[in-house]
Amino acid sequence: MLGAGRSRTAKLTAKVGYAVTIAFLLVTVSTIIGLSSWWGTLFTSDSEVIHIVTATLHVVAFVHAIDIFNLVNFSIFRAMGRQRISFLIMLPPYYMVMFPVGLYLAFSSLDMGVPGLWMGMLVGLILIVVSQFTFIFGYIDWDHEVVACLERLKKSTRVDGQPPKLNVEQLENGEGGLSVTRSEC
């Protein structure tokens, strides 16, 4: 939608992506939690191992849920050509939160074991997703993103050595949710 010059539609598309994700997650998280005790019995009859698998899968279900939002957010950053910002948001929590918290929960006096490692991942992913949401809906100027996208398209797309013909007149008239006052994008 950004390349089509529709900033409002791009923002709405992002929100629809979240709604579809929530619907999908209700099914998958319910399935993972509902079948968690069954998964362990596929591989062993040892009740202690089955208990560990069940406890781990309860945490994994929520890691899965949060990580799906991470993927949707990254797709939004990618559509805006802002992969670097997404990387910079994700890097510190991975190494400064996920690993230390996971190792602490798994091997400290809390002795949570494997579920503790996954809980560390859950804490880090929550921090990442909250940071991404904050940036996407708090700092992104969707109208500016449309102009930036059109400029990238203009620079990168060539037909027979000629720059593409963007429908700037529609943008200048405010059609597609954006008003551009410049003579060219």
Side-chain angles (χ1 to χ4, degrees), residues 57-106:
L57 283 176
H58 286 159
V59 179
V60 168
F62 290 101
V63 169
H64 168 69
I66 299 300
D67 196 33
I68 292 294
F69 284 106
N70 178 31
L71 294 173
V72 171
N73 290 340
F74 182 73
S75 297
I76 292 169
F77 280 108
R78 194 167 128 197
M80 292 185 293
R82 292 180 173 236
Q83 298 91 323
R84 181 176 292 152
I85 290 174
S86 181
F87 169 76
L88 293 173
I89 288 172
M90 291 180 356
L91 189 63
Y94 267 109
Y95 292 104
M96 294 170 23
V97 176
M98 280 185 190
F99 294 131
V101 170
L103 291 174
Y104 175 78
L105 292 175

Side-chain angles (χ1 to χ4, degrees), residues 24-37 39 50-69 71 98 112-123 125-126:
F24 175 75
L25 286 177
L26 290 175
V27 173
T28 58
V29 168
S30 299
T31 302
I32 291 170
I33 290 175
L35 298 175
S36 61
S37 60
W39 283 106
I50 293 170
H51 175 73
I52 291 170
V53 169
T54 302
T56 302
L57 283 176
H58 286 159
V59 179
V60 168
F62 290 101
V63 169
H64 168 69
I66 299 300
D67 196 33
I68 292 294
F69 284 106
L71 294 173
M98 280 185 190
M112 295 177 75
V114 177
L117 288 172
W118 283 94
M119 287 180 129
M121 184 175 279
L122 180 62
V123 169
L125 281 171
I126 289 171

